[in-house]
Amino acid sequence: MSILEVNGVSKSFEDEKIITDVSLKLNEGEIVALLGMSGSGKTTLFNAVAGLTTPDSGEIMLNGESIVGVPGKVSYMLQKDLLLPYKNILDNVALPLVIRGEKKNDARKKAAELFSQFGLEGTEHKYPFQISGGMKQRAALLRTYLFSEKVALLDEPFSALDMLTKASVHEWYLDIMDKIRLSTLYITHDIDEAILLSDRIYLLTGKPASITKEIVIDEKKPRNKDFRLTEKFLDYKREIISCLDAQC
């Protein structure tokens, strides 16, 4: 069942068309990757879905209702964790609840109940500079989840992590997403990451950009650590690289 649908969305800036006739869907509980070259319009599309900009044409539907130009309906996690340095981790995570009008103590209690599930126990009263990059991303994802438990947009959420930390966070991410079932659309430039984490991958190519291919990753999750070493994984990778090179 589709929870989010983007139908025929186009967007221009200063008479230059950035994306054209983009259509995609996100089903409940899915992790879907949006993959494309730098500057292909992925963030432009996300800003429209998040209600931060209004598309020139097209429709964006959340649970059957239009959210065009309406911010705050889906959560949006940017590339950087954007944790406030002067707030401890608990207060950083609870911030969306406070903004929505909940009392600070109630917001803290609700957020604290999820710290163990997100592997953040023991960090509640620490400050961002006192925890690792991987833990910051966990905190940022929990904050995103508390903003909206339905749909999340993640803009390159793991790109700032080193290779070993990223591998560990990927494993954790698949496990936590299997538990919380947060429907997620995320941007990445990392082909391996897209294949490893996603149920489906949309390729955004061309200028102006449009969705030129949808690839279904037919592999049960959570995926075995050795999946990326299999011939099946390499076949997906060859297909994606070939399409990106050909701008298919």
Side-chain angles (χ1 to χ4, degrees):
M1 178 181 176
S2 296
I3 189 170
L4 177 71
E5 292 188 12
V6 176
N7 298 312
V9 165
S10 299
K11 180 66 179 177
S12 302
F13 290 104
E14 297 181 354
D15 297 325
E16 180 184 1
K17 185 166 280 190
I18 307 300
I19 56 175
T20 183
D21 197 27
V22 171
S23 296
L24 56 82
K25 65 179 180 179
L26 176 65
N27 296 322
E28 193 169 357
E30 270 192 319
I31 302 173
V32 174
L34 188 62
L35 186 63
M37 301 294 188
S38 295
S40 62
K42 299 183 295 298
T43 300
T44 297
L45 176 61
F46 265 33
N47 286 341
V49 175
L52 302 179
T53 61
T54 301
D56 303 331
S57 60
E59 190 61 81
I60 303 167
M61 309 290 288
L62 179 67
N63 288 324
E65 295 185 4
S66 175
I67 57 170
V68 171
V70 183
K73 295 296 184 180
V74 300
S75 56
Y76 192 176
M77 177 176 159
L78 300 176
Q79 184 175 351
K80 295 182 180 180
D81 59 72
L82 298 180
L83 297 176
L84 300 174
Y86 54 85
K87 286 184 178 290
N88 63 33
I89 302 304
L90 179 57
D91 284 340
N92 263 288
V93 167
L95 190 58
L97 302 177
V98 175
I99 291 173
R100 285 212 301 259
E102 294 195 26
K103 293 181 179 179
K104 187 175 291 186
N105 286 339
D106 291 341
R108 286 170 173 164
K109 183 178 179 181
K110 186 178 292 186
E113 290 173 352
L114 292 167
F115 265 59
S116 177
Q117 187 173 354
F118 276 72
L120 288 165
E121 61 272 25
T123 68
E124 290 88 342
H125 302 295
K126 292 184 178 180
Y127 287 82
F129 76 92
Q130 295 176 305
I131 64 174
S132 68
M135 295 298 274
K136 289 178 185 177
Q137 291 306 99
R138 293 186 186 207
L141 185 63
L142 175 52
R143 182 180 59 189
T144 301
Y145 175 65
L146 286 172
F147 183 88
S148 171
E149 298 176 6
K150 295 180 180 179
V151 173
L153 307 177
L154 310 183
D155 190 348
E156 295 192 73
F158 312 118
S159 62
L161 303 176
D162 63 76
M163 185 175 66
L164 293 178
T165 301
K166 184 184 287 190
S168 173
V169 171
H170 281 166
E171 186 177 351
W172 165 82
Y173 176 75
L174 285 175
D175 180 63
I176 192 66
M177 294 300 287
D178 186 55
K179 292 175 181 175
I180 66 176
R181 301 289 292 171
L182 176 64
S183 305
T184 305
L185 182 64
Y186 77 101
I187 290 172
T188 182
H189 291 100
D190 188 329
I191 296 173
D192 286 20
E193 179 177 271
I195 299 170
L196 182 65
L197 300 183
S198 307
D199 296 293
R200 292 182 294 115
I201 301 170
Y202 286 109
L203 300 187
L204 189 68
T205 64
K207 198 170 182 67
S210 60
I211 300 294
T212 51
K213 196 172 188 65
E214 176 189 355
I215 298 171
V216 178
I217 307 299
D218 185 20
E219 183 73 16
K220 186 178 179 181
K221 293 191 303 183
R223 286 159 190 159
N224 189 290
K225 291 181 181 180
D226 294 331
F227 173 51
R228 68 173 69 224
L229 303 177
T230 65
E231 191 63 31
K232 190 174 184 180
F233 184 97
L234 293 176
D235 285 342
Y236 285 126
K237 191 168 183 177
R238 291 187 191 101
E239 181 181 5
I240 292 169
I241 291 173
S242 175
C243 192
L244 292 176
D245 285 345
Q247 294 287 293
C248 63

